[in-house]
Amino acid sequence: MKTKQVAFLGPEASFTHLATKSLFQQEVLVPIRTIPECIEAVANGEVDIAVVPLENALEGTVPLTIDYLFHEAELYVIAELLSPIEQHLMVHPNNAGRWEDMTTVYSHPHALAQCHKYLFYRFGKVPLEQSSSTAAAAKYVSENEDLCIAAIGNTSAASEYGLKIVEQNIHDFQFNHTRFFVISKKNYCIEQEGHTDQVKTTVMITLPKDDRSGALHQVLSVFAWRQLNLSKIESRPLKTGLGHYFFIMDVLEDEKMPMMVGAMEELKALGCGVKSLGSYYTYETKKEAIRS
C-alpha cells in the first residue's frame, strides 16, 4: 500500500505536528508554513491529506480554516483530532539569566490570546509579535540568540529548537484543547483504533436569498423534528455585504443515514445552500504525546 503524504501546519514541533503524529505514525509528514498553503496542497494534489487547526476551547474558531474551506476549496473532513494544549514561555539558553528583561514575545495569535492574562499582568509593556505557528516562533527565537526575546509554545518545540522553558503552563485556563480537521479531496471516513463512538457531520448552510423572516428557525427545525443533535452552530460573514452570513453546524449523525439525507433534501427545498464537509470520527491525543 502506498504511503500517504500528510501536510501539517509547521514547522516541526508545532501543536498541529504533534496531533498529526499521534494519528499518522506510518505516513510521510510534510510541514507547510500556513493554513491556506496546507489546504491548497491537498486541493492541488501535492499531498494526500492535510491537518489544520479548526477551533480552540479558549479562543474559538480559527476563521482562516473555516473561510478557506467554504470559499476556496472543495475538500472533505475525514477525521478530527482533539488535542490538549499546554503553553510555556521559552527563551534561548544564552538569555536564561535575563529572560525577565525580554523585549518581545513571539507566538501564534491564538497562543498569545490563550495567555493574555499572564502576559498582561507579568509583561504588560512587552510587545507581542504574531508568528504563523508556535513552532515557527520557537525556531525564530533559536536563530536569534543575540536578541533577548521569548516564544510561547510546547515542550516539544523547546526540545526541537534548543530553548529553555522559564515558565510552565502560562495559559489562562486549565481546560485548553484544540480541534484539528483532517482534510482530503476524497470523501471517506478514517476508521482505525482509538476513535470515539460518535460519528459527526459538518455542514455549511446559507439561508434563502429572499431573506424571509424565520429562515434560521426553519433551518433549525429541519434538524429538531428529526431529533438530530447539533453539537455546534456558528456564523461567519459571507463577504458579500454586512449582515450576510453562512452557518457552520456540527451534527451528531452520519450523512448517509436516512434522517440526514432527508434533512439535506428539505434544506435545499427551502432554498438553502448546503455544503457537507463529510462525516468523520474524533481521535483524542493524549497529554503524553504533546510533551514528547
Side-chain angles (χ1 to χ4, degrees):
M1 185 183 232
K2 179 187 173 184
T3 302
K4 288 184 172 65
Q5 287 196 315
V6 183
F8 64 90
L9 178 63
E12 284 83 359
S14 66
F15 282 106
T16 312
H17 183 213
L18 301 181
T20 304
K21 284 198 303 181
S22 71
L23 185 63
F24 299 104
Q25 298 175 9
Q26 306 300 323
E27 312 296 355
V28 177
L29 306 188
V30 182
I32 295 184
R33 191 174 61 89
T34 67
I35 290 172
E37 288 175 293
C38 282
I39 297 174
E40 287 289 349
V42 179
N44 296 335
E46 298 167 24
V47 297
D48 301 291
I49 294 169
V51 180
V52 290
L54 172 74
E55 179 186 13
N56 177 262
L58 306 188
E59 288 305 306
T61 297
V62 179
L64 194 54
T65 299
I66 286 293
D67 289 354
Y68 220 85
L69 289 174
F70 181 81
H71 293 285
E72 306 293 340
E74 290 295 328
L75 299 174
Y76 299 95
V77 180
I78 58 175
E80 78 168 358
L81 307 176
L82 182 63
S83 178
I85 303 294
E86 294 178 344
Q87 303 286 12
H88 312 300
L89 189 71
M90 54 194 72
V91 299
H92 194 282
N94 290 358
N95 297 316
R98 59 190 185 110
W99 66 272
E100 290 184 282
D101 297 323
M102 70 180 113
T103 59
T104 313
V105 179
Y106 293 82
S107 199
H108 186 275
H110 267 222
L112 294 172
Q114 290 162 31
C115 306
H116 168 75
K117 288 198 293 185
Y118 169 85
L119 293 170
F120 179 78
Y121 290 112
R122 287 293 305 276
F123 302 102
K125 295 182 180 180
V126 175
L128 309 179
E129 289 289 338
Q130 297 183 358
S131 302
S132 58
S133 70
T134 53
K139 186 172 185 290
Y140 180 80
V141 171
S142 73
E143 294 169 345
N144 290 274
E145 61 183 280
D146 54 321
L147 302 177
C148 190
I149 56 179
I152 293 174
N154 56 56
T155 55
S156 182
S159 176
E160 178 75 20
Y161 300 107
L163 302 183
K164 180 176 178 56
I165 294 176
V166 291
E167 292 271 78
Q168 293 184 327
N169 297 318
I170 63 171
H171 41 283
D172 295 333
F173 298 92
Q174 284 302 110
F175 187 83
N176 191 11
H177 283 64
T178 292
R179 290 174 66 196
F180 301 87
F181 267 173
V182 183
I183 55 177
S184 169
K185 288 181 75 171
K186 298 178 181 179
N187 187 8
Y188 66 99
C189 177
I190 292 178
E191 295 190 59
Q192 62 187 55
E193 186 178 351
H195 66 68
T196 57
D197 293 333
Q198 180 66 62
V199 70
K200 185 186 298 183
T201 301
T202 295
V203 294
M204 296 177 168
I205 299 171
T206 55
L207 299 181
K209 293 182 179 178
D210 59 8
D211 196 25
R212 60 178 174 268
S213 176
L216 181 57
H217 179 269
Q218 283 186 306
V219 168
L220 297 177
S221 296
V222 167
F223 297 101
W225 77 261
R226 290 180 171 85
Q227 296 187 334
L228 294 171
N229 189 18
L230 301 181
S231 61
K232 178 182 177 180
I233 176 170
E234 183 176 353
S235 64
R236 285 291 302 155
L238 267 173
K239 306 186 189 299
T240 57
L242 289 173
H244 300 170
Y245 300 95
F246 68 93
F247 295 86
I248 309 103
M249 300 182 185
D250 289 342
V251 191
L252 300 183
E253 186 56 275
D254 191 318
E255 65 179 355
K256 297 184 181 68
M257 297 302 290
M259 282 297 189
M260 276 293 288
V261 172
M264 298 301 100
E265 291 175 350
E266 184 175 350
L267 287 171
K268 292 174 184 176
L270 289 171
C272 297
V274 182
K275 180 179 181 179
S276 174
L277 294 183
S279 299
Y280 52 89
Y281 287 110
T282 300
Y283 295 82
E284 297 184 6
T285 303
K286 304 299 183 185
K287 278 196 173 183
E288 293 75 19
I290 68 168
R291 295 170 180 167
S292 59

